[in-house]
Amino acid sequence: MEFGAVLQTNPPASRTVHLAKLAEQYGFEYVWTFDSHLLWQEPYVIYSAILAETKRVIVGPMVTNPATRDWTVTASVFATLNEMYGNRTVIGIGRGDSAVRVTNGAPTTLKILRESIHVIRELANSRSVEYNGAELRFPWSRGSEVEVWVAAYGPLALKLTGEVGDGFILQLADLDIAEWMIKTVRDAAEKAGRDPMAIKFCVAAPMYIGDSSDETAMKHMRDQTRWFGGMVGNHVADIVAKYGEGSNVPAALTDYIKAREGYDYNQHGLAGNTHADFVPDEIVDRFCVLGTAEQHIEKLKALKELGVDQFAGYLQHDNKEETLRQYGEIVMPALREHIVAKA
């Protein structure tokens, strides 16, 4: 299993770069960031600084969207970063949430998402593509390689992911939901004539290490990560509106939003926000990875058995450095392949 750290680009940008460097020092392979240009600083600028000050981590958005950024510009950014720093980028993409809703926009259609993935991937991988009736290619790009991973929840979005995605990003760590979604994506890939095992699976969720036997400590961990259930609830609300409550989407994903009354994007992804009170403790525990290092290892091993290739941990809480340290020293070594010097 590989590991990623998911950062918000809160000012100062040097803090984001510092956390990215720390993640690399502790052995993380990926550094992801939110992409919401009004709420936080512009991540694509910060990627260049991260790549300049690190040696091997792969960097990209979790996730961008086809609405707020021109597809050809997005492709150009990543092809340029690859030319400057080697092929060390990845693109996570979805229909759009905070970046579009804050500007009173709406998530794109799946048709547009599908088309954007094709255009971005072809151009960013130094290939030509038809776009707006013209055949386009970056004449300066040679040998650029970047994968496009799709973030999805609903049945049709999962189908699209299986058909066109290099990877699948599932933003929650519930075992039952992960099992259903991975199967749905793999089934779609197989029906499309693709190798279902070639799609990479990333589970992304808040990671917080603490003493779960202490009631006060456990309450604090939950309060620091309850925002995540509110964020996921935005996408779930869209699914319920589209498919209704009787769809084949797992009830564990849809039932908890019944008490949801609204969402304030000014507090998006913020620990201790006031609009995630409807998220029960049970959902926090299921969607996130909380507790002792040993409890993290146990849950991540279960996810790995389901076919998860990467765990990307959100660090939107008050224990960032210590969580990175314990992952680097305890959690990640337990999930790595063990090689001995002498058999």
Side-chain angles (χ1 to χ4, degrees):
M1 180 179 276
E2 293 185 315
F3 291 85
V6 187
L7 309 174
Q8 275 180 346
T9 53
N10 290 307
S14 58
R15 168 76 165 150
T16 305
V17 176
H18 163 72
L19 289 169
K21 292 167 65 177
L22 197 60
E24 179 176 78
Q25 290 165 14
Y26 280 122
F28 287 77
E29 288 92 355
Y30 286 77
V31 171
W32 303 87
T33 73
F34 284 60
D35 178 14
S36 200
H37 58 289
L38 280 169
L39 296 179
W40 308 294
Q41 291 181 318
E42 171 53 46
Y44 288 12
V45 176
I46 297 173
Y47 293 160
S48 194
I50 292 173
L51 290 165
E53 297 193 33
T54 56
K55 294 182 179 179
R56 59 173 183 77
V57 286
I58 296 169
V59 175
M62 186 179 283
V63 294
T64 193
N65 70 84
T68 57
R69 298 185 184 276
D70 180 90
W71 309 347
T72 62
V73 175
T74 295
S76 182
V77 167
F78 287 93
T80 301
L81 289 172
N82 283 345
E83 191 278 327
M84 292 173 68
Y85 303 108
N87 291 321
R88 292 172 52 203
T89 63
V90 64
I91 301 172
I93 193 168
R95 294 176 57 226
D97 181 31
S98 61
V100 294
R101 296 188 201 265
V102 168
T103 57
N104 289 337
T108 65
T109 65
L110 290 175
K111 180 178 183 293
I112 290 175
L113 177 60
R114 181 188 297 270
E115 291 171 354
S116 72
I117 290 169
H118 176 65
V119 171
I120 291 169
R121 178 163 48 209
E122 294 308 293
L123 287 174
N125 281 275
S126 303
R127 297 189 290 262
S128 63
V129 70
E130 185 176 327
Y131 178 68
N132 283 347
E135 186 172 329
L136 305 179
R137 183 170 182 169
F138 298 138
W140 44 264
S141 180
R142 299 284 189 279
S144 176
E145 296 178 6
V146 58
E147 294 180 340
V148 181
W149 296 22
V150 186
Y153 291 102
L156 290 178
L158 294 170
K159 179 176 179 289
L160 179 150
T161 303
E163 292 170 347
V164 303
D166 296 312
F168 167 47
I169 297 171
L170 171 58
Q171 290 166 302
L172 53 81
D174 181 273
L175 294 174
D176 294 336
I177 296 172
E179 183 176 19
W180 178 79
M181 289 194 173
I182 289 172
K183 182 181 185 304
T184 301
V185 170
R186 283 187 172 151
D187 287 349
E190 189 169 14
K191 288 178 182 176
R194 303 181 68 198
D195 178 3
M197 304 308 292
I199 300 173
K200 297 178 181 177
F201 290 90
C202 172
V203 159
M207 55 180 180
Y208 197 119
I209 290 183
D211 183 3
S212 59
S213 67
D214 184 299
E215 248 180 69
T216 302
M218 195 64 205
K219 180 181 184 303
H220 182 73
M221 283 189 279
R222 287 174 175 145
D223 289 344
Q224 285 286 300
T225 56
R226 198 176 305 276
W227 64 267
F228 185 67
M231 185 187 82
V232 173
N234 297 328
H235 303 284
V236 176
D238 288 342
I239 293 171
V240 172
K242 182 176 179 64
Y243 298 100
E245 295 184 1
S247 71
N248 63 342
V249 178
L253 180 60
T254 58
D255 283 357
Y256 84 98
I257 68 160
K258 291 177 180 177
R260 179 180 184 268
E261 296 181 351
Y263 193 83
D264 180 4
Y265 277 94
N266 289 308
Q267 300 183 63
H268 188 57
L270 180 67
N273 65 42
T274 58
H275 57 257
D277 292 343
F278 73 93
V279 182
D281 288 350
E282 178 195 1
I283 290 296
V284 179
D285 294 348
R286 292 182 68 168
F287 283 14
C288 303
V289 185
L290 310 177
T292 63
E294 290 71 26
Q295 288 171 314
H296 283 240
I297 292 167
E298 181 182 3
K299 187 165 189 176
L300 293 176
K301 282 184 175 178
L303 287 168
K304 184 178 180 181
E305 289 177 4
L306 293 178
V308 174
D309 301 292
Q310 180 187 156
F311 172 67
Y314 286 91
L315 286 173
Q316 285 65 57
H317 54 62
D318 60 1
N319 200 33
K320 297 176 179 64
E321 281 85 355
E322 178 61 11
T323 298
L324 288 173
R325 183 190 72 79
Q326 292 213 38
Y327 259 73
E329 295 182 0
I330 303 172
V331 178
M332 292 195 296
L335 275 295
R336 305 288 196 198
E337 180 185 357
H338 290 278
I339 300 172
V340 296
K342 184 177 180 180

PDB file of all heavy atoms in Angstrom, residues 110 114 154-161 242-243:
ATOM      1  N   LEU A 110     -21.760  14.550 -16.157  1.00  0.00           N
ATOM      2  CA  LEU A 110     -20.806  13.460 -16.357  1.00  0.00           C
ATOM      3  C   LEU A 110     -20.279  13.450 -17.788  1.00  0.00           C
ATOM      4  O   LEU A 110     -19.148  13.044 -18.032  1.00  0.00           O
ATOM      5  CB  LEU A 110     -21.466  12.120 -16.011  1.00  0.00           C
ATOM      6  CG  LEU A 110     -21.743  11.895 -14.519  1.00  0.00           C
ATOM      7  CD1 LEU A 110     -22.500  10.590 -14.324  1.00  0.00           C
ATOM      8  CD2 LEU A 110     -20.460  11.886 -13.705  1.00  0.00           C
ATOM      9  N   ARG A 114     -16.373  13.423 -18.562  1.00  0.00           N
ATOM     10  CA  ARG A 114     -15.752  12.420 -19.429  1.00  0.00           C
ATOM     11  C   ARG A 114     -14.904  13.092 -20.526  1.00  0.00           C
ATOM     12  O   ARG A 114     -13.772  12.703 -20.767  1.00  0.00           O
ATOM     13  CB  ARG A 114     -16.824  11.535 -20.059  1.00  0.00           C
ATOM     14  CG  ARG A 114     -16.281  10.425 -20.962  1.00  0.00           C
ATOM     15  CD  ARG A 114     -17.425   9.719 -21.687  1.00  0.00           C
ATOM     16  NE  ARG A 114     -18.321   9.049 -20.770  1.00  0.00           N
ATOM     17  CZ  ARG A 114     -18.177   7.788 -20.372  1.00  0.00           C
ATOM     18  NH1 ARG A 114     -17.170   7.058 -20.824  1.00  0.00           N
ATOM     19  NH2 ARG A 114     -19.046   7.242 -19.533  1.00  0.00           N
ATOM     20  N   GLY A 154     -21.689   8.343  -6.867  1.00  0.00           N
ATOM     21  CA  GLY A 154     -22.920   7.810  -7.435  1.00  0.00           C
ATOM     22  C   GLY A 154     -22.698   6.732  -8.469  1.00  0.00           C
ATOM     23  O   GLY A 154     -21.608   6.618  -9.044  1.00  0.00           O
ATOM     24  N   PRO A 155     -23.723   5.913  -8.757  1.00  0.00           N
ATOM     25  CA  PRO A 155     -23.587   4.781  -9.682  1.00  0.00           C
ATOM     26  C   PRO A 155     -23.073   5.166 -11.071  1.00  0.00           C
ATOM     27  O   PRO A 155     -22.199   4.492 -11.616  1.00  0.00           O
ATOM     28  CB  PRO A 155     -25.014   4.213  -9.751  1.00  0.00           C
ATOM     29  CG  PRO A 155     -25.634   4.600  -8.446  1.00  0.00           C
ATOM     30  CD  PRO A 155     -25.054   5.938  -8.110  1.00  0.00           C
ATOM     31  N   LEU A 156     -23.604   6.236 -11.663  1.00  0.00           N
ATOM     32  CA  LEU A 156     -23.174   6.612 -13.011  1.00  0.00           C
ATOM     33  C   LEU A 156     -21.756   7.167 -13.011  1.00  0.00           C
ATOM     34  O   LEU A 156     -20.981   6.945 -13.947  1.00  0.00           O
ATOM     35  CB  LEU A 156     -24.145   7.629 -13.612  1.00  0.00           C
ATOM     36  CG  LEU A 156     -25.529   7.084 -13.963  1.00  0.00           C
ATOM     37  CD1 LEU A 156     -26.419   8.188 -14.511  1.00  0.00           C
ATOM     38  CD2 LEU A 156     -25.420   5.937 -14.974  1.00  0.00           C
ATOM     39  N   ALA A 157     -21.390   7.892 -11.948  1.00  0.00           N
ATOM     40  CA  ALA A 157     -20.022   8.406 -11.837  1.00  0.00           C
ATOM     41  C   ALA A 157     -19.030   7.259 -11.630  1.00  0.00           C
ATOM     42  O   ALA A 157     -17.918   7.278 -12.168  1.00  0.00           O
ATOM     43  CB  ALA A 157     -19.928   9.408 -10.687  1.00  0.00           C
ATOM     44  N   LEU A 158     -19.438   6.248 -10.870  1.00  0.00           N
ATOM     45  CA  LEU A 158     -18.585   5.080 -10.674  1.00  0.00           C
ATOM     46  C   LEU A 158     -18.415   4.314 -11.987  1.00  0.00           C
ATOM     47  O   LEU A 158     -17.327   3.816 -12.296  1.00  0.00           O
ATOM     48  CB  LEU A 158     -19.181   4.169  -9.602  1.00  0.00           C
ATOM     49  CG  LEU A 158     -19.225   4.742  -8.179  1.00  0.00           C
ATOM     50  CD1 LEU A 158     -20.054   3.843  -7.266  1.00  0.00           C
ATOM     51  CD2 LEU A 158     -17.822   4.922  -7.614  1.00  0.00           C
ATOM     52  N   LYS A 159     -19.492   4.243 -12.766  1.00  0.00           N
ATOM     53  CA  LYS A 159     -19.423   3.589 -14.079  1.00  0.00           C
ATOM     54  C   LYS A 159     -18.430   4.323 -14.978  1.00  0.00           C
ATOM     55  O   LYS A 159     -17.585   3.703 -15.643  1.00  0.00           O
ATOM     56  CB  LYS A 159     -20.809   3.560 -14.715  1.00  0.00           C
ATOM     57  CG  LYS A 159     -20.882   2.932 -16.104  1.00  0.00           C
ATOM     58  CD  LYS A 159     -22.327   2.882 -16.586  1.00  0.00           C
ATOM     59  CE  LYS A 159     -22.440   2.289 -17.995  1.00  0.00           C
ATOM     60  NZ  LYS A 159     -21.896   3.218 -19.007  1.00  0.00           N
ATOM     61  N   LEU A 160     -18.520   5.646 -15.012  1.00  0.00           N
ATOM     62  CA  LEU A 160     -17.585   6.458 -15.797  1.00  0.00           C
ATOM     63  C   LEU A 160     -16.141   6.204 -15.353  1.00  0.00           C
ATOM     64  O   LEU A 160     -15.233   6.075 -16.178  1.00  0.00           O
ATOM     65  CB  LEU A 160     -17.935   7.936 -15.647  1.00  0.00           C
ATOM     66  CG  LEU A 160     -17.055   8.960 -16.369  1.00  0.00           C
ATOM     67  CD1 LEU A 160     -17.877  10.190 -16.752  1.00  0.00           C
ATOM     68  CD2 LEU A 160     -15.872   9.402 -15.505  1.00  0.00           C
ATOM     69  N   THR A 161     -15.944   6.131 -14.039  1.00  0.00           N
ATOM     70  CA  THR A 161     -14.596   5.899 -13.506  1.00  0.00           C
ATOM     71  C   THR A 161     -14.023   4.587 -14.023  1.00  0.00           C
ATOM     72  O   THR A 161     -12.863   4.516 -14.439  1.00  0.00           O
ATOM     73  CB  THR A 161     -14.623   5.888 -11.970  1.00  0.00           C
ATOM     74  OG1 THR A 161     -15.167   7.119 -11.493  1.00  0.00           O
ATOM     75  CG2 THR A 161     -13.224   5.691 -11.401  1.00  0.00           C
ATOM     76  N   LYS A 242     -30.854  12.757  -6.962  1.00  0.00           N
ATOM     77  CA  LYS A 242     -30.913  12.170  -8.297  1.00  0.00           C
ATOM     78  C   LYS A 242     -31.589  10.798  -8.306  1.00  0.00           C
ATOM     79  O   LYS A 242     -32.404  10.493  -9.169  1.00  0.00           O
ATOM     80  CB  LYS A 242     -29.500  12.051  -8.880  1.00  0.00           C
ATOM     81  CG  LYS A 242     -29.451  11.494 -10.307  1.00  0.00           C
ATOM     82  CD  LYS A 242     -28.031  11.497 -10.843  1.00  0.00           C
ATOM     83  CE  LYS A 242     -27.963  10.931 -12.249  1.00  0.00           C
ATOM     84  NZ  LYS A 242     -28.692  11.745 -13.238  1.00  0.00           N
ATOM     85  N   TYR A 243     -31.214   9.959  -7.331  1.00  0.00           N
ATOM     86  CA  TYR A 243     -31.662   8.567  -7.359  1.00  0.00           C
ATOM     87  C   TYR A 243     -32.761   8.247  -6.343  1.00  0.00           C
ATOM     88  O   TYR A 243     -33.362   7.175  -6.400  1.00  0.00           O
ATOM     89  CB  TYR A 243     -30.475   7.632  -7.101  1.00  0.00           C
ATOM     90  CG  TYR A 243     -29.387   7.733  -8.145  1.00  0.00           C
ATOM     91  CD1 TYR A 243     -28.243   8.482  -7.902  1.00  0.00           C
ATOM     92  CD2 TYR A 243     -29.497   7.088  -9.367  1.00  0.00           C
ATOM     93  CE1 TYR A 243     -27.230   8.584  -8.855  1.00  0.00           C
ATOM     94  CE2 TYR A 243     -28.500   7.181 -10.326  1.00  0.00           C
ATOM     95  CZ  TYR A 243     -27.364   7.938 -10.055  1.00  0.00           C
ATOM     96  OH  TYR A 243     -26.374   8.035 -11.002  1.00  0.00           O
TER      97      TYR A 243
END
